[in-house]
Amino acid sequence: MSDPPTLERATVAELQALGLFGALDDDVLGLLADRLPLLQVGCGDVVFREGDGGRAMFVVLDGDLEMVKRSQRGHDARIAGPADLRNHDVA
């Protein structure tokens, strides 16, 4: 079992590197960086599950993400993986 996720803060430089935030100036990015927690997860950790409330947005700063959907028969089907999500800022 992996360690529990650690909360830190994103940096202005990390946010600047994402196209999603590219039009924002340093002051606004600083405000975001101060308020947005950085969630570090390990390989195989579940970030959210289908049906969870949609009150958060996740931005992948580093690493890969895989999205899997469970069928009605209980089988997992990969719907997106690292190659599908590369060059997309929001996953």
Side-chain angles (χ1 to χ4, degrees):
M1 181 176 246
S2 61
D3 294 332
T6 332
L7 284 179
E8 296 178 12
R9 298 286 175 206
T11 66
V12 170
E14 288 170 323
L15 296 178
Q16 282 175 328
L18 301 173
L20 175 67
F21 301 115
L24 301 178
D25 65 34
D26 287 352
D27 291 336
V28 174
L29 288 173
L31 291 171
L32 282 174
D34 287 343
R35 289 171 176 78
L36 298 177
L38 183 63
L39 179 65
Q40 295 182 355
V41 295
C43 182
D45 287 349
V46 175
V47 178
F48 62 89
R49 297 185 185 281
E50 184 175 5
D52 286 352
R55 298 188 58 166
M57 179 178 95
F58 297 92
V59 177
V60 179
L61 295 176
D62 183 39
D64 294 321
L65 177 73
E66 181 176 57
M67 291 187 285
V68 177
K69 179 167 178 60
R70 178 149 297 159
S71 73
Q72 291 180 350
R73 294 183 179 168
H75 301 287
D76 288 342
R78 179 185 161 281
I79 59 172
D84 304 310
L85 300 170
R86 200 156 324 283
N87 297 322
H88 294 274
D89 296 321
V90 179

